[in-house]
Amino acid sequence: MSGTLESLNKHFGLSGKINFVEDHNLVKLEVLSQSSRLECYLQGAHITSFKHNKAGELLWLSPIANFAQGKAIRGGIPLCWPWFGKHSDASLQQHGFARNSLFEVSKTSALDNGDVEIVLRLTANETTLSIWPYQFLLEVSITLGESLSVELISHNKDDKPFFVTEAIHSYFKLDDISRLSIGGLEGAKYYDQLSDKECVQAEVNCCINQETDRIYQAPENGIQLLHNDGVKIGLVQENANAVVVWNPWVGKSASMNDFPDSGYKNMVCVEAANARYKVINLAPGSRHSIKQTLQIALE
Ligand code: BG6
């Protein structure tokens, strides 16, 4: 591990901005911009912390998350790819293999405006080919500054077309779920995954007081996640046709071994996705990008 870290820091480290460290036997990037700090594991290109200088930590990370090679980390921003949700083949794990796969670093740079950019990549290997028989390149471009952008770029490197569904599965940290309201979804159609019904959001704000698992048709004007302690997060989603809102509430929290029983009180997932309403059809040689930017405003 120490040789790997030395080589990563030599080729991709940026003094005072990007440092590679070992954590739980995994490689983690610590990234510093003028206005924020980020932590990201190479496994899954998984961001686990986004701390804004004024607003504090914005992401929820389970205090009992598993950190182990090949295991998805509970919390932060897992990436669901090349499929979102359950696969029709029940032997294949929910949300695809990207979140369990080891990414490589492709590029790091300090931008002129003080932001820091990191590009991570995953390509087909023996394991992915045994699950999903396509040659691909998945790039994850992360830009950290006053806001945080995560972009997923799928490239078809095969000689046959393939389909992708995907999500930037963001877990937000809350003081208290009872004080959360999500704006921007009024009038939006959604599929309720719990009741298996198509519904329409009647209320101006989406508030959560029970188990919630919905796939909304993405609204045109973005959504606002209203934090309960005066922090407002604007979510700008590009090329996403769906927004997933998930909170496991009491019963489901208790059934997950990497999730504290009372964890549902302090988190909500709001995910930019391409799922249910549209699959991405990628012809050989083509690419598709989905992007989510978290913009922070203090009230
Ligand atoms: C959400 C799904 O995106 O992720 C839920 O809509 C699912 O149905 C949740 O339970 C968590 O999934 P996982 O595989 O990380 O436990």
Side-chain angles (χ1 to χ4, degrees):
M1 175 69 89
S2 69
T4 310
L5 290 176
E6 203 174 299
S7 161
L8 285 168
N9 276 315
K10 183 168 166 216
H11 292 103
F12 298 108
L14 290 173
S15 173
K17 291 184 192 296
I18 296 185
N19 192 27
F20 292 84
V21 298
E22 178 185 343
D23 195 354
H24 295 92
N25 232 2
L26 300 171
V27 177
K28 183 171 83 174
L29 279 112
E30 293 178 340
V31 188
L32 204 62
S33 79
Q34 281 162 358
S35 21
S36 54
R37 191 178 183 284
L38 176 127
E39 294 186 6
C40 176
Y41 288 81
L42 286 190
Q43 174 164 290
H46 194 136
I47 296 171
T48 49
S49 169
F50 168 42
K51 213 178 256 177
H52 185 273
N53 288 354
K54 294 193 183 121
E57 180 61 70
L58 278 313
L59 300 179
W60 180 84
L61 177 65
S62 170
I64 51 170
N66 289 317
F67 289 89
Q69 277 177 26
K71 294 254 185 234
I73 300 166
R74 176 69 65 191
I77 311 185
L79 301 172
C80 307
W81 194 93
W83 61 87
F84 169 84
K86 291 196 168 60
H87 196 281
S88 52
D89 176 347
S91 71
L92 297 179
Q93 71 152 0
Q94 164 145 292
H95 292 335
F97 53 77
R99 63 179 177 165
N100 309 78
S101 302
L102 188 60
F103 281 65
E104 291 172 347
V105 185
S106 159
K107 185 175 110 178
T108 55
S109 34
L111 307 180
D112 290 345
N113 63 0
D115 289 0
V116 183
E117 187 193 25
I118 301 121
V119 183
L120 306 178
R121 72 203 296 269
L122 179 69
T123 49
N125 57 45
E126 233 174 67
T127 312
T128 69
L129 287 168
S130 69
I131 304 173
W132 198 65
Y134 303 102
Q135 295 291 340
F136 68 87
L137 164 64
L138 175 63
E139 290 180 295
V140 180
S141 173
I142 299 167
T143 308
L144 179 73
E146 186 58 38
S147 54
L148 168 66
S149 294
V150 180
E151 183 178 14
L152 241 67
I153 309 154
S154 312
H155 302 256
N156 185 338
K157 297 282 182 191
D158 210 292
D159 54 11
K160 48 191 184 299
F162 59 66
F163 295 104
V164 165
T165 55
E166 58 192 351
I168 302 174
H169 191 315
S170 317
Y171 286 73
F172 293 96
K173 179 172 181 280
L174 306 173
D175 277 355
D176 186 342
I177 185 84
S178 70
R179 299 209 296 274
L180 165 84
S181 66
I182 304 168
L185 292 170
E186 186 184 9
K189 288 188 186 150
Y190 66 87
Y191 171 65
D192 185 335
Q193 302 221 79
L194 302 172
S195 65
D196 189 22
K197 285 194 177 122
E198 297 286 350
C199 309
V200 175
Q201 167 85 34
E203 301 80 15
V204 177
N205 289 314
C206 168
C207 298
I208 294 179
N209 53 17
Q210 60 185 332
E211 185 179 354
T212 303
D213 194 352
R214 300 175 176 177
I215 307 179
Y216 284 88
Q217 274 186 0
E220 274 175 19
N221 299 323
I223 55 180
Q224 302 87 42
L225 187 75
L226 298 183
H227 230 253
N228 41 341
D229 55 0
V231 178
K232 192 169 169 179
I233 305 177
L235 275 98
V236 181
Q237 304 180 331
E238 294 166 54
N239 301 323
N241 61 51
V243 181
V244 181
V245 176
W246 179 62
N247 181 291
W249 213 250
V250 181
K252 181 122 197 220
S253 292
S255 73
M256 290 184 280
N257 63 13
D258 57 356
F259 203 104
D261 288 358
S262 60
Y264 71 93
K265 293 179 182 166
N266 303 110
M267 57 67 69
V268 66
C269 285
V270 184
E271 316 165 28
N274 283 305
R276 186 160 182 94
Y277 304 108
K278 190 175 144 203
V279 294
I280 306 303
N281 187 358
L282 279 180
S286 66
R287 75 197 278 282
H288 175 270
S289 127
I290 177 175
K291 186 171 175 182
Q292 176 166 272
T293 303
L294 311 185
Q295 296 177 335
I296 315 304
L298 300 172
E299 294 188 315

